[in-house]
Amino acid sequence: MECGGSVVNSSHRDDTPVLITEAQPSYDDQQAVRRRKYAIMMASRIPCLIAAALVYQTWHLWWLSLIILAISIPLPWMAVLIANDRPARKREQVNRFRRSARSLESRSHQVIEGA
């Protein structure tokens, strides 16, 4: 098949859907991302504990071992918070009527807006 001077092969057509809206990712996709973050954070705690032990055993730097341990202590708490946190909803713009200079009624009226 020829299209505008170039040959287009219909067997290599991309059938993936095109995103035409600004819809958020599905709940399952969001949950998969949160699970992955949780697993990475929890898995990084074990190497931190091993690194703290190795630093103390190898170089006897107790202060550096304590710093590494202090970093590893809040990791489970942060991992749970991140895993349970859903992304914020997008704020939608409200389309409000704006009076123009060419409006039919030119005189002003008292407007009472509800809270």
Side-chain angles (χ1 to χ4, degrees), residues 40-94:
I40 290 170
M41 289 183 77
M42 290 303 287
S44 65
R45 186 168 191 220
I46 295 170
C48 283
L49 296 174
I50 293 171
L54 287 175
V55 165
Y56 183 73
Q57 289 293 326
T58 307
W59 297 293
H60 299 291
L61 297 173
W62 60 269
W63 57 271
L64 186 56
S65 294
L66 286 177
I67 290 173
I68 295 171
L69 283 174
I71 291 171
S72 72
I73 288 172
L75 282 179
W77 175 73
M78 292 179 353
V80 169
L81 287 179
I82 289 172
N84 289 331
D85 188 29
R86 292 184 68 182
R89 290 185 174 206
K90 292 181 181 179
R91 184 174 179 191
E92 296 181 14
Q93 292 285 343
V94 177

Side-chain angles (χ1 to χ4, degrees), residues 7 12 14 34 47 58 74-75 88 102:
V7 177
H12 295 291
D14 187 15
R34 293 195 316 261
T58 307
L75 282 179
R102 300 183 317 170

